[in-house]
Amino acid sequence: MKKWVLLLAVAGIAMLPCSIRAQVNSYFPEIWKEKPLLHTVTSSDHPYTILDYRLVRDFNVSKQDKANNWSHYKTIYKNVKVNTQAAADSLTQLIMTVEINEALRGMRLRMLAPNGEATDLNDRIRMIVLNDNRKALVVNNLVLQTGAELEYELSLKVAYDYASSEYLQSPIPSNHVSFKLVAPKELEFRFKTSPGVPALSDSIAGNNRYYQLNMQNVPELKNSDLYYYLPQLMRIDFALHEAIEGKDTTRIRWQQFGEEGYVPLVAVSKAEYKQLEKELQKWPFTKQRMPTTQMIYLVEQFVKTNFELTPPSETGETMDLISIVRTRRAEKVGMARLLNAVYYMLNIPTQVLFTSSRDSLLLDSQLVNRQLAKNILLYFPTTQQALAPTDMDTRFPCYPALWAGIPALRCRDTLIGQESKVLTDFITTPITPYTVSNISTDATLKSITDPAWEVKQSFGGYPGANIKSAFGITGKTTEGKFKIYNALLPFEPGVRKPTAVTTENEVFNNRMLDKPVLLNSTLNTPSLVENKNTQINIHIGQLLGGTLSADIPLPTGTLPIQMSFPYYQEKRINIPIPAGYKVANKGDFSADISDKGSQPALGYKMRCEQEGNVLHIFIVEWYRQMDFYGENKSIFGQMLNTIRKVQQQDLVLVKE
């Protein structure tokens, strides 16, 4: 059983003593009783049960905290019951992260043993400083028993944060969950709840407005390799919509964020323009006539190859184009400014997109949550494609796949009279067609008596970009190359021995991503051909179905299946049939699965043909979309079942 802890993937941490002050809250004072009693609950098959989980956001802060830019107080209460001995043995450590914009106000922690005895654990709490400047509260060496309850209350103050999300669900079922947001009447918030979460009640008492909800019996959500976990959790999203101070009313809009983020990225001084103009004279490809898409790619390739992405400098030189051109070093904003300015000077129109990530939370046009809009794309309206100026491991038209197909704030400028204005709206970030990301395998068995395969593989689009990035980092050493080969070559390493491997176009260069990475190999596989007197079995399942397990349960209910990016792959397998033999199980290599649309969103087809003494097996598998619901989930399940069977499939030859 996995230990129920937050794993810290950090290099270098410091353990500090933690001075804990019990910050008694006024939101649910009845909870933390001086003499607590064990909860009476029915037995559960789950390792743990969250008996009570309460969340409070209070925007009534003290004058001193307000002067120091603390926006509100956050209080968390949780009581977890241990249901099994295995769970008690596994829960040896408790870790709670404190974000960079948060500070500890107080915490108290205790354990209630099965016999009702309460043990205060406050003196066991320590503070860990992580290497990204975050902190974590840690309690080590917990010793629990079946039936014990672990109870804690955590109070934080939060800076500059008037929009956020609260997750009401987790991998552990909860008997009771509540949320409350308290704010002065002068602050008006907007809320959005995910499916399955009721709307919040809204009331006013005194000078405060209260938004709250209560939920009973919130089920657990299990993790899955087939969908992004965080976006599927039940949650509440909230954001400040309007603030009144005296006679002034401030409305929070994405337009303001767009103006503040867009202008620094596109504004270029006359001195910067002149310096960059001289620099472009040294780039020979900028003088050539070529398709716009090719020029976009070459500019990105040149900049990301010749300019280093570096942390911001205190002097701002890594944002200034004159310094960037001179030093070949730029921070993220500087890199975006450089690329955008070059495209402007080459008369290639650009727009700026701010977006989030598919594995986190998506932007909402009605809720202004600035911290979500952290990823920058340069969007080309003439091609309706984009690139990521600050991601050094991607190239146009591919950018981080997690940023594709999701809402983004689009910013562009226009002239209104003689004045330049920033226009903003929401669009969906572009998705590359499934035909761009293609994988093909052509494998030929030399002979039955010489079980060696000649294999030609190609990888375009996202698969090719990922391989190029890997070769650019890991593939610089022989050991690193072998790791990449082991990940790409057919069959498991234990059953094949490469005698020759060559690659072409395996690193980023001036060839666009529609030119695939090529991998040619000769693989000896003596154990995959089995002679049985009058029968020959050829174990080709790993070649046809791959080596990754297809034994994955489908998401339940309305949960989607989510792919990283649209793609297709095809395989052509060629096997010589010895004289005097015939194929006994040709029907095992036939499949036709797809949806009923005129352009099926996903599908899997396999057929088998014999031409003379050579057997050909053809497979094509495709995914036109990234998210699949309803009937398409069922079709996906059929495809998985077929692939799982194919992975175990032998080609059987018998004497005629």
Side-chain angles (χ1 to χ4, degrees), residues 4 47-48 80-94 109-114 119 121 124 139 141-151:
W4 187 55
Y48 312 99
V80 180
K81 187 176 186 65
V82 180
N83 296 321
T84 66
Q85 188 57 48
D89 295 339
S90 177
L91 183 51
T92 61
Q93 186 181 55
L94 184 66
L109 171 71
R110 65 185 176 186
M111 177 185 66
L112 193 58
T119 303
L121 301 177
R124 304 265 297 275
V139 182
N141 303 318
L142 290 173
V143 179
L144 302 175
Q145 298 172 282
T146 304
E149 296 179 17
L150 194 63
E151 183 181 30

Side-chain angles (χ1 to χ4, degrees), residues 128-367:
I128 284 180
V129 180
L130 311 179
N131 66 350
D132 61 358
N133 292 325
R134 293 186 307 156
K135 297 177 181 178
L137 299 169
V138 181
V139 182
N140 290 314
N141 303 318
L142 290 173
V143 179
L144 302 175
Q145 298 172 282
T146 304
E149 296 179 17
L150 194 63
E151 183 181 30
Y152 72 84
E153 189 176 89
L154 174 64
S155 179
L156 304 164
K157 50 185 177 182
V158 186
Y160 307 108
D161 194 355
Y162 289 88
S164 190
S165 296
E166 290 289 9
Y167 294 101
L168 309 178
Q169 195 177 23
S170 74
I172 305 173
S174 300
N175 288 355
H176 172 258
V177 176
S178 70
F179 170 83
K180 179 186 292 185
L181 188 146
V182 185
K185 289 188 296 184
E186 293 78 14
L187 301 181
E188 179 185 342
F189 285 82
R190 281 185 173 178
F191 294 83
K192 183 177 181 180
T193 57
S194 61
V197 178
L200 283 78
S201 65
D202 182 355
S203 61
I204 295 178
N207 292 321
N208 285 325
R209 187 186 295 268
Y210 296 85
Y211 306 90
Q212 49 195 333
L213 68 74
N214 287 277
M215 296 179 66
Q216 306 296 328
N217 301 319
V218 177
E220 80 279 12
L221 181 64
K222 295 180 179 179
N223 214 330
S224 171
D225 291 333
L226 294 180
Y227 57 73
Y228 298 111
Y229 185 73
L230 286 180
Q232 309 306 328
L233 291 171
M234 293 182 182
R235 70 179 192 275
I236 299 170
D237 304 325
F238 66 88
L240 182 63
H241 176 64
E242 187 174 278
I244 300 174
E245 187 171 356
K247 297 182 179 180
D248 297 328
T249 299
T250 302
R251 293 179 174 84
I252 313 301
R253 300 291 186 269
W254 278 114
Q255 174 68 25
Q256 181 183 8
F257 174 86
E259 292 173 356
E260 293 174 358
Y262 176 73
V263 173
L265 292 178
V266 301
V268 177
S269 68
K270 290 183 178 179
E272 288 177 317
Y273 187 94
K274 289 181 179 180
Q275 182 68 35
L276 194 54
E277 196 172 35
K278 294 178 182 177
E279 173 66 21
L280 288 184
Q281 298 298 318
K282 304 173 186 177
W283 301 4
F285 64 89
T286 60
K287 303 178 182 65
Q288 301 172 14
R289 295 178 61 86
M290 63 183 70
T292 299
T293 53
Q294 186 177 2
M295 181 62 77
I296 293 172
Y297 175 87
L298 288 176
V299 168
E300 181 187 22
Q301 166 63 16
F302 184 89
V303 169
K304 290 185 176 180
T305 302
N306 293 281
F307 290 78
E308 176 190 357
L309 188 64
T310 187
S313 64
E314 294 182 1
T315 61
E317 63 177 8
T318 51
M319 285 179 54
D320 176 67
L321 294 184
I322 297 175
S323 297
I324 290 171
V325 168
R326 184 181 70 252
T327 63
R328 288 327 205 225
R329 297 170 68 252
E331 62 180 270
K332 288 186 175 182
V333 173
M335 192 69 73
R337 294 188 72 230
L338 174 62
L339 278 164
N340 188 77
V342 171
Y343 291 127
Y344 173 81
M345 298 178 72
L346 295 175
N347 295 315
I348 299 176
T350 63
Q351 298 171 355
V352 176
L353 306 183
F354 295 97
T355 191
S356 57
S357 179
R358 295 179 71 213
D359 62 345
S360 62
L361 302 181
L362 306 184
L363 268 63
D364 188 311
S365 61
Q366 301 302 310
L367 299 177

Side-chain angles (χ1 to χ4, degrees), residues 394-405:
T394 57
R395 298 292 187 273
F396 178 85
C398 296
Y399 55 89
L402 286 172
W403 306 0

Side-chain angles (χ1 to χ4, degrees), residues 435-483:
T435 52
V436 170
S437 298
N438 51 80
I439 305 171
S440 70
T441 302
D442 196 319
T444 300
L445 184 63
K446 287 184 176 181
S447 72
I448 300 299
T449 56
D450 180 18
W453 295 85
E454 295 290 347
V455 183
K456 297 179 180 179
Q457 297 172 266
S458 72
F459 307 85
Y462 274 106
N466 292 339
I467 292 171
K468 287 172 181 278
S469 176
F471 268 103
I473 302 171
T474 307
K476 293 180 180 179
T477 65
T478 301
E479 181 183 2
K481 286 182 180 179
F482 287 159
K483 288 182 180 179

Side-chain angles (χ1 to χ4, degrees), residues 366-377:
Q366 301 302 310
L367 299 177
V368 183
N369 189 342
R370 289 170 168 249
Q371 62 183 349
L372 290 180
K374 60 184 179 182
N375 298 321
I376 300 172
L377 293 173

